[in-house]
Amino acid sequence: MSGLRKYVSFARTSLEITFVYRAGFVLNMIGTIFYVVAMFYLWQTVFLGNPGSLGGFTWPEMKAYILVSFLLSSLLTWYDEWVMSQDIREGYVAVDLARPFDFQASRFARAMGPIIFEATSAVGVAAVVALVFGGAALPADPGRAALFVVSCALATIIKFGLVYCVSMTAFWTTSIEGIMVGRSAIQNIFSGALIPLVFFPDWLQSVAAVLPFQAMISTPALVYLGKLDAQSTAVAIGVQVVWAVGLLFLGRLAFRQAVKVVTIHGG
Amino acid sequence: MAVEMHPNRSIVDALGADLRARAHGARRGVYLYFRCLGQQMKAIMAYETDFIVLLLSAVLVQLAGFAVIWAIFQRIPSVNGWTFWQVVMMYALIFVTEGVGSLFFEGTWRLSSLVYTGQFDQMLLRPVSPIVQVLAGAVGFNGLGNLVTGFVLIGIAVTNVPVEWTPGRLLMLAILIVSASVIRVAINLASAASTFWIRSPWSMVPMFVHRLGDFAKYPITIYSYAVQALIVVAVPFAFVSFFPTAWVFGVDAWSLPGLLTPLVAIYAVLMSVWLFRVGLRRYESSGH
């Protein structure tokens, strides 16, 4: 049990750090909220001109979609990724390498520490936005809501797996800032974060289908809205599991290679 | 630049001398600005892959936003009467002006940390306007990516609308883009100056204000009056994208305010410099 305890303390410390630097956290959320509100107005106008549904989405469903996307984007924020790559770049990682714990597991614990705080804040903000804009669609039944929570949990693990892999590039390059911005741009397109993937042409949808990004936002959002039948839901969640395990494994592989090349400043 | 009044000089001479001195001061300011910026460029060029990756990432961010607008307009012909290319023009103007801000005036983003750490003292000791030093304090190479993609989008947008391109109209387009960039940089400087009041390295005001620009990526007619007032009057982002677009594309209902853009630019510069100077008077070095 003591094995687990050290990771719990990583998580707790990380939560405390988030509280100390809560300004950074609030900043990140405000940054997204303006965009969310702008999208709400944009879609509101679009639906006013086209009553009924667009791409299979009604206005209340679209509102819910945007808010689910906002919620998932508020988990595991930029802060974790930045800290991880800076630790590598600045050489603090040397201390971690010398200590008796698993590097990936410790980073996972740190990333997950603030997650309840992030989730509750985001749900609160989303609820306010939904109320201002006259409500949004809710999951049809408790079973669907439970599936949504499972899908969100998997999406968060996938996000960690991806962020971890991206951070590993800091062992080889100093261009981490650009790589991170690029990662988030590609993710925004292919995850369905900005617009449901069904709005894209077929070829772009096919590309998105084979990438891990759609499992990060599109899948949980579609599960929430009940856009998938029982069989497709099972497949979609199965795909999420595969990506979660795959990316975690890839991260471990990258780390094993990385420690061979690592040179810490000062020799 | 104080001008001594000589008894045997007329007031006109004195004014002339004053103007010459001011012009000289302005020229020197511009010269020093580019000298400072040049040093920053050298620092960045030392890591060339970094800036190439940053540049490409900026292009990707823009394409992501463009993809959303494009996907929406695949389903519907217009939003509130605004066509695809008009909205693309607004979107592109936001990014072009952001590019100008990052590439040439990124230093505004560093002001709060300079004030917090006390490094700002150095700027006050040098015989150059602190505003020039702040503006030239950093280079954001991602801005080049924004500029290039933004101009490509503007180029495609203006060729896809039925507008007759007279030399006068082209000139006005150039004036509008310059004015929009000036407004953008003035907004950045003014919001950075908030750091003189809020002494925290994590000041949220600049980012908060910057993000308001998200609203101006789309036609302001889709918003409630409160949001419109916010981006037209309080923080004039509407003059960065919406009004210039309305003028260029001859949308009669909104094109007249578009002509005011250069005046708004002058107003924004005066306001931001004034705010900065008021803030500067409050400045106490850290540790006091």
Coordinates of all heavy atoms in Angstrom, one line a residue, chain B residues 250-282:
Chain B
G250 N -18.3 46.9 -48.9 CA -19.4 47.8 -49.3 C -20.7 47.4 -48.7 O -21.8 47.4 -49.4
V251 N -20.7 46.9 -47.4 CA -22.0 46.6 -46.7 C -22.5 47.9 -46.2 O -22.0 48.4 -45.1 CB -21.8 45.6 -45.6 CG1 -23.1 45.2 -45.0 CG2 -21.1 44.3 -46.2
D252 N -23.5 48.5 -46.9 CA -23.8 49.9 -46.6 C -24.2 50.2 -45.2 O -23.8 51.2 -44.6 CB -25.0 50.3 -47.5 CG -24.6 50.4 -48.9 OD1 -23.4 50.5 -49.2 OD2 -25.4 50.2 -49.9
A253 N -24.9 49.3 -44.5 CA -25.4 49.5 -43.2 C -24.3 49.8 -42.2 O -24.5 50.5 -41.2 CB -26.3 48.4 -42.7
W254 N -23.1 49.2 -42.5 CA -22.0 49.2 -41.5 C -20.8 49.9 -42.0 O -19.8 49.9 -41.3 CB -21.7 47.8 -41.0 CG -22.9 47.2 -40.3 CD1 -23.8 46.3 -40.9 CD2 -23.3 47.3 -39.0 NE1 -24.7 45.9 -40.1 CE2 -24.5 46.5 -38.8 CE3 -22.8 48.0 -37.9 CZ2 -25.2 46.4 -37.6 CZ3 -23.5 47.9 -36.7 CH2 -24.7 47.1 -36.6
S255 N -20.8 50.3 -43.3 CA -19.5 50.7 -43.9 C -19.0 52.0 -43.4 O -17.8 52.3 -43.4 CB -19.6 50.6 -45.4 OG -20.5 51.5 -45.8
L256 N -19.9 52.9 -43.0 CA -19.6 54.3 -42.6 C -18.6 54.3 -41.4 O -17.6 54.9 -41.4 CB -20.8 55.1 -42.3 CG -20.5 56.6 -42.5 CD1 -20.1 57.0 -43.9 CD2 -21.8 57.4 -42.1
P257 N -19.0 53.5 -40.3 CA -18.0 53.4 -39.2 C -16.7 52.9 -39.6 O -15.6 53.2 -39.0 CB -18.7 52.5 -38.2 CG -20.1 52.5 -38.6 CD -20.2 52.7 -40.0
G258 N -16.6 52.1 -40.7 CA -15.4 51.6 -41.2 C -14.4 52.7 -41.6 O -13.2 52.6 -41.3
L259 N -15.0 53.8 -42.1 CA -14.1 54.9 -42.5 C -13.5 55.6 -41.3 O -12.5 56.3 -41.4 CB -15.0 55.9 -43.3 CG -15.2 55.6 -44.7 CD1 -16.1 56.6 -45.4 CD2 -13.9 55.5 -45.5
L260 N -14.2 55.4 -40.1 CA -13.7 56.0 -38.9 C -12.5 55.3 -38.3 O -11.8 55.8 -37.4 CB -14.8 56.1 -37.8 CG -16.0 57.0 -38.2 CD1 -17.0 56.9 -37.0 CD2 -15.5 58.4 -38.3
T261 N -12.2 54.1 -38.9 CA -11.1 53.2 -38.3 C -9.8 54.0 -38.0 O -9.2 53.9 -37.0 CB -10.9 52.0 -39.2 OG1 -12.1 51.3 -39.3 CG2 -9.9 51.0 -38.5
P262 N -9.3 54.8 -39.0 CA -8.0 55.5 -38.8 C -8.1 56.5 -37.6 O -7.2 56.6 -36.8 CB -7.8 56.3 -40.1 CG -8.5 55.5 -41.1 CD -9.7 55.0 -40.4
L263 N -9.3 57.1 -37.4 CA -9.5 58.0 -36.3 C -9.5 57.2 -35.0 O -8.9 57.7 -34.0 CB -10.8 58.8 -36.4 CG -10.9 59.8 -37.6 CD1 -12.2 60.5 -37.7 CD2 -9.7 60.8 -37.5
V264 N -10.2 56.1 -35.0 CA -10.2 55.2 -33.8 C -8.8 54.8 -33.4 O -8.4 54.7 -32.3 CB -11.1 54.0 -34.0 CG1 -11.0 53.1 -32.8 CG2 -12.5 54.4 -34.2
A265 N -8.0 54.5 -34.5 CA -6.6 54.1 -34.3 C -5.8 55.2 -33.5 O -5.1 55.0 -32.6 CB -5.9 53.8 -35.6
I266 N -6.0 56.5 -34.0 CA -5.3 57.6 -33.4 C -5.8 57.7 -31.9 O -5.0 57.9 -31.0 CB -5.6 58.9 -34.1 CG1 -4.9 58.9 -35.5 CG2 -5.1 60.1 -33.4 CD1 -5.4 59.9 -36.5
Y267 N -7.1 57.7 -31.7 CA -7.7 57.8 -30.4 C -7.1 56.7 -29.5 O -6.7 56.9 -28.3 CB -9.2 57.6 -30.5 CG -9.9 57.4 -29.2 CD1 -10.1 58.4 -28.3 CD2 -10.4 56.1 -28.9 CE1 -10.7 58.2 -27.1 CE2 -11.0 55.9 -27.7 CZ -11.2 56.9 -26.8 OH -11.8 56.7 -25.6
A268 N -7.0 55.4 -30.0 CA -6.5 54.3 -29.2 C -5.1 54.5 -28.8 O -4.7 54.2 -27.7 CB -6.7 53.0 -30.0
V269 N -4.3 55.0 -29.7 CA -2.9 55.3 -29.4 C -2.8 56.3 -28.3 O -2.0 56.1 -27.3 CB -2.1 55.7 -30.7 CG1 -0.7 56.3 -30.3 CG2 -1.9 54.6 -31.6
L270 N -3.5 57.4 -28.5 CA -3.4 58.5 -27.5 C -3.9 58.0 -26.1 O -3.2 58.2 -25.1 CB -4.3 59.7 -27.9 CG -3.8 60.4 -29.1 CD1 -4.8 61.5 -29.5 CD2 -2.5 61.0 -28.9
M271 N -4.9 57.2 -26.1 CA -5.4 56.7 -24.8 C -4.4 55.7 -24.2 O -4.2 55.8 -23.0 CB -6.7 55.9 -25.1 CG -8.0 56.7 -25.2 SD -8.3 57.7 -23.7 CE -9.0 56.4 -22.7
S272 N -3.8 54.8 -25.0 CA -2.9 53.8 -24.4 C -1.7 54.5 -23.9 O -1.2 54.2 -22.8 CB -2.6 52.7 -25.4 OG -1.9 53.3 -26.5
V273 N -1.1 55.5 -24.6 CA 0.1 56.2 -24.2 C -0.2 57.0 -22.9 O 0.5 57.0 -21.9 CB 0.6 57.1 -25.3 CG1 1.7 58.1 -24.7 CG2 1.2 56.3 -26.4
W274 N -1.4 57.6 -22.9 CA -1.8 58.3 -21.7 C -1.9 57.4 -20.5 O -1.4 57.7 -19.4 CB -3.2 59.0 -22.0 CG -3.7 59.7 -20.7 CD1 -3.3 60.9 -20.2 CD2 -4.8 59.3 -19.9 NE1 -4.1 61.2 -19.1 CE2 -5.0 60.2 -18.9 CE3 -5.7 58.2 -20.0 CZ2 -6.0 60.1 -17.9 CZ3 -6.7 58.0 -19.0 CH2 -6.8 59.0 -18.0
L275 N -2.6 56.3 -20.7 CA -2.8 55.3 -19.6 C -1.4 54.8 -19.1 O -1.2 54.7 -17.9 CB -3.5 54.1 -20.1 CG -5.0 53.9 -19.7 CD1 -5.6 52.7 -20.4 CD2 -5.1 53.8 -18.2
F276 N -0.5 54.5 -20.0 CA 0.8 54.1 -19.7 C 1.5 55.1 -18.8 O 2.2 54.8 -17.8 CB 1.6 53.8 -20.9 CG 2.9 53.0 -20.7 CD1 2.9 51.6 -20.8 CD2 4.1 53.7 -20.3 CE1 4.1 50.9 -20.6 CE2 5.2 53.0 -20.1 CZ 5.2 51.6 -20.2
R277 N 1.4 56.4 -19.2 CA 2.1 57.4 -18.5 C 1.5 57.6 -17.1 O 2.3 57.8 -16.1 CB 2.1 58.7 -19.3 CG 2.9 58.6 -20.5 CD 3.4 60.0 -21.0 NE 4.3 59.8 -22.1 CZ 4.3 60.5 -23.2 NH1 3.4 61.4 -23.4 NH2 5.2 60.3 -24.2
V278 N 0.2 57.6 -17.0 CA -0.4 57.7 -15.7 C 0.0 56.6 -14.8 O 0.4 56.8 -13.6 CB -2.0 57.7 -15.8 CG1 -2.6 57.6 -14.4 CG2 -2.5 58.9 -16.6
G279 N 0.1 55.4 -15.4 CA 0.5 54.2 -14.6 C 2.0 54.3 -14.2 O 2.3 54.0 -13.1
L280 N 2.8 54.8 -15.1 CA 4.2 55.0 -14.9 C 4.5 55.9 -13.7 O 5.4 55.7 -12.9 CB 4.9 55.6 -16.1 CG 6.4 55.5 -16.2 CD1 6.8 54.0 -16.1 CD2 6.9 56.1 -17.5
R281 N 3.6 56.9 -13.5 CA 3.8 57.8 -12.4 C 3.5 57.1 -11.1 O 4.0 57.5 -10.0 CB 2.8 59.0 -12.5 CG 3.5 60.3 -13.1 CD 2.6 61.4 -13.2 NE 2.3 61.7 -14.6 CZ 1.1 61.9 -15.1 NH1 0.1 62.0 -14.3 NH2 0.9 62.1 -16.4
R282 N 2.7 56.0 -11.1 CA 2.4 55.3 -9.9 C 3.5 54.2 -9.6 O 3.5 53.6 -8.6 CB 1.1 54.5 -10.1 CG -0.1 55.3 -10.2 CD -1.3 54.3 -10.4 NE -1.2 53.2 -9.4 CZ -1.9 53.3 -8.3 NH1 -2.7 54.3 -8.0 NH2 -1.9 52.2 -7.5

